Amino acid sequence: MEFSHIQGLDEEFVLHTYSRFKVAFTHGENATLYDTQNRDYIDFGSGIGVVSVGHNNPKLTQAITKQAAKLLHTSNLYYIQNQAALAHNLITLYRDNAPLPMRAFFANSGAEANECAIKIARKYGKQRNAYKIITLDSSFHGRTITSLKATAQEKMHEHFGPFPDGFVYAKDIKDIYNLIDSSTCAVLLELVQGEGGVCPLDKTQIQALASHLKQKQILLMIDEVQSGIYRCGEIFASKVYDISPEVITTAKGLGGGVPIGAVLTTLTDIFAPSDHGSTFGGNALSCAAGLCVLEILSQMHENGTLKETISYFDTKLDSLVAAFPQIFSHKVGLGLMCGIHTQNSNLLPNIVESALNHGVLVLKSGKGVLRLLPPLSINKDEIDLGFSRLESALKTL
C-alpha cells in the first residue's frame, strides 16, 4: 500500500489522537525499520520502549506462531498454562531481592496494570479508612480516567474531569513525608520518570522512603511500565535501587510488541474472586510472547551481553554530548532508558524531525529532553550507524 493511501485512510477513519510523522513502516530487523519506500531507519525508540528484543526477532516470531497454531485465547475462568508459567518466571527472576511470597495479575497495558495497583491500595487501606495515594510531580501512570488522575500533570487533566478523589501530588521525595497522613494508603512512584525527563530518582532517598513507609504500614508501589523488563539493566529498576516494594507494575517490554501488562504484589491474598479481572489479560498468546522475551533477555543479562550493550551505548552518548555542547547540557537515565537535556527546549521538535529525516528514530520527554529507548538487543553496528545519523542530523540545525 502506498504511503499516501495509508495517510488518507488514517485521516478519514482514525480518531486524531496522535500528531503523526509522515512515515509508515512495513517491516524491520532487530533495531532497523523500513518504510513504504524501503528506506531504512535505526530505531532508538523501540515503539516507546516496547520492542525489547528487536523487530522480527526469530525466537519471538516462532513462539508467537507456534502458540497461534494451537490456542489464542480461552478465558480466565479456566487455568492457563502460559499464564501460570509467566507468573512463575517473572517472580522467580525478581524474588531473590524480595524474599516474601508474591503473586501476579496480568492485564493488557501499563494503564490497566496501574489501575489494578490502585485497587490493591484502596482495598488494603479500607480497614482503616485510608484511601489517599501520593504520586510525584511530572509523573505518568496512564490514560484511563483513574490512572490519568494519578498522573501529576495538570495539563493532561484538562477536558476529562471530574476525576476520582484521593490522589495527592508531591513536589519531590522529601515532600512525600509532608503529605502523609492517616488517610494515606500508598505511594506510587516511577524510579525513572519516562515522560518526566528520564531522570532517575535518588537511590538513598528512595531507600529511606521505602523504610519509612514500611514502618507506617503504607504501601510502596513502583510503576515499572517503562523501566522494567531489563530496560534499566535488571529485571526491574527496583533491584537496581535495592528495594522491595509491595506492588510493582510493568508492561511495555514484556511482550516484545504483543500487548501485555502485569502486576506483582506481596499482598498475595488481597483480592478474592470477582474483585478484579480482565477478559484478555494473560491469555495464551500474550503470555507465550512474555515467556519468550524473558528467556531472551534473562540470557542476555546472565551472559553479560546486556551490560556490554548498555556500556557501549552510554559511551556513545557521552561522545554526542561532548561533540554538541551548544545543543546539549548533560545526559540522564538508567541502563537503556536514556535522556539528554537540551540547552534550549525549543530545539527539541527540530531535533526529532531532523533525526527522522536522517534515518534515526528518537523521542521527546519532559521539558527539553531527548529520549532514547533502543531495543535491548541492538548491536554495535546499529548503535554506530544510529549515532552517526544523529550527528548528521544535529549538524543541520
Side-chain angles (χ1 to χ4, degrees):
M1 191 182 295
E2 294 290 332
F3 172 73
S4 59
H5 187 51
I6 297 169
Q7 185 181 32
L9 290 174
D10 185 281
E11 288 292 325
E12 185 174 357
F13 295 108
V14 179
L15 275 175
H16 297 167
T17 56
Y18 305 101
S19 297
R20 300 195 196 275
F21 293 99
K22 293 183 178 180
V23 62
F25 300 109
T26 58
H27 61 289
E29 191 74 28
N30 201 32
T32 305
L33 280 168
Y34 298 86
D35 68 11
T36 49
Q37 296 184 28
N38 209 37
R39 292 174 298 198
D40 66 279
Y41 302 75
I42 300 299
D43 188 0
F44 278 180
S46 62
I48 316 183
V50 169
V51 189
S52 52
V53 296
H55 301 282
N56 193 28
N57 183 289
K59 290 184 178 179
L60 181 56
T61 300
Q62 183 180 26
I64 294 170
T65 303
K66 183 178 179 181
Q67 184 59 50
K70 295 193 298 183
L71 184 68
L72 292 175
H73 177 85
T74 53
S75 161
N76 281 299
L77 295 174
Y78 314 103
Y79 288 95
I80 301 172
Q81 177 180 332
N82 289 348
Q83 183 181 130
L86 182 57
H88 171 267
N89 290 5
L90 264 176
I91 291 168
T92 301
L93 285 166
Y94 171 68
R95 197 165 52 179
D96 65 293
N97 194 45
L100 291 173
M102 302 187 82
R103 285 185 177 152
F105 175 85
F106 292 99
N108 308 291
S109 66
E112 288 184 37
N114 284 332
E115 287 274 356
C116 177
I118 291 165
K119 287 179 71 173
I120 288 172
R122 290 284 172 82
K123 188 172 183 184
Y124 170 80
K126 188 175 182 180
Q127 289 184 344
R128 55 187 178 88
N129 198 29
Y131 62 94
K132 291 181 183 176
I133 298 172
I134 300 172
T135 66
L136 276 181
D137 279 355
S138 300
S139 60
F140 181 79
H141 299 294
R143 294 185 183 274
T144 59
I145 287 295
T146 304
S147 62
L148 187 62
K149 184 58 177 176
T151 295
Q153 297 188 50
E154 290 296 334
K155 66 180 181 180
M156 301 189 74
H157 298 163
E158 188 178 1
H159 309 305
F160 303 115
F163 290 96
D165 293 331
F167 293 95
V168 183
Y169 307 138
K171 297 176 183 177
D172 51 33
I173 297 298
K174 293 180 180 179
D175 191 35
I176 291 175
Y177 295 89
N178 301 326
L179 298 175
I180 291 173
D181 60 25
S182 61
S183 297
T184 306
C185 64
V187 174
L188 173 62
L189 303 173
E190 301 161 276
L191 296 174
V192 187
Q193 291 187 325
E195 302 294 332
V198 203
C199 188
L201 302 181
D202 181 83
K203 183 176 180 178
T204 302
Q205 288 185 343
I206 289 295
Q207 290 178 338
L209 177 65
S211 177
H212 181 75
L213 294 178
K214 284 189 187 299
Q215 293 174 13
K216 293 285 187 178
Q217 295 185 314
I218 295 171
L219 299 183
L220 175 59
M221 308 197 300
I222 302 299
D223 178 341
E224 302 228 30
V225 169
Q226 191 167 140
S227 64
I229 316 301
Y230 295 100
R231 171 61 56 183
C232 293
E234 296 286 348
I235 178 70
F236 294 115
S238 298
K239 291 195 73 169
V240 179
Y241 279 72
D242 196 22
I243 57 172
S244 297
E246 285 77 28
V247 180
I248 292 175
T249 62
T250 195
K252 286 182 180 289
L254 180 56
V258 176
I260 186 171
V263 182
L264 305 184
T265 181
T266 60
L267 304 176
T268 55
D269 296 319
I270 190 68
F271 284 155
S274 80
D275 275 350
H276 195 53
S278 171
T279 297
F280 295 102
N283 73 14
L285 182 69
S286 63
C287 287
L291 285 166
C292 183
V293 167
L294 280 188
E295 180 183 359
I296 294 168
L297 294 181
S298 62
Q299 288 177 356
M300 289 178 59
H301 178 262
E302 290 170 10
N303 65 24
T305 303
L306 181 60
K307 185 177 180 180
E308 291 176 6
T309 301
I310 291 171
S311 178
Y312 191 73
F313 199 90
D314 192 55
T315 300
K316 301 294 284 189
L317 273 178
D318 284 331
S319 298
L320 187 72
V321 173
F324 295 92
Q326 74 280 14
I327 297 177
F328 300 120
S329 60
H330 63 284
K331 69 177 184 182
V332 289
L334 186 65
L336 287 176
M337 191 172 176
C338 312
I340 318 174
H341 278 263
T342 56
Q343 297 284 9
N344 181 352
S345 61
N346 293 328
L347 277 177
L348 193 54
N350 295 334
I351 293 173
V352 175
E353 186 75 35
S354 183
L356 177 68
N357 293 336
H358 283 79
V360 59
L361 309 182
V362 295
L363 303 164
K364 298 183 290 184
S365 177
K367 297 179 180 179
V369 176
L370 184 69
R371 180 169 40 157
L372 308 176
L373 300 170
L376 305 184
S377 59
I378 192 170
N379 60 49
K380 287 185 176 181
D381 288 342
E382 291 168 326
I383 293 173
D384 288 343
L385 182 56
F387 274 99
S388 175
R389 290 179 176 184
L390 187 52
E391 288 174 8
S392 297
L394 293 169
K395 289 175 181 176
T396 67
L397 298 178

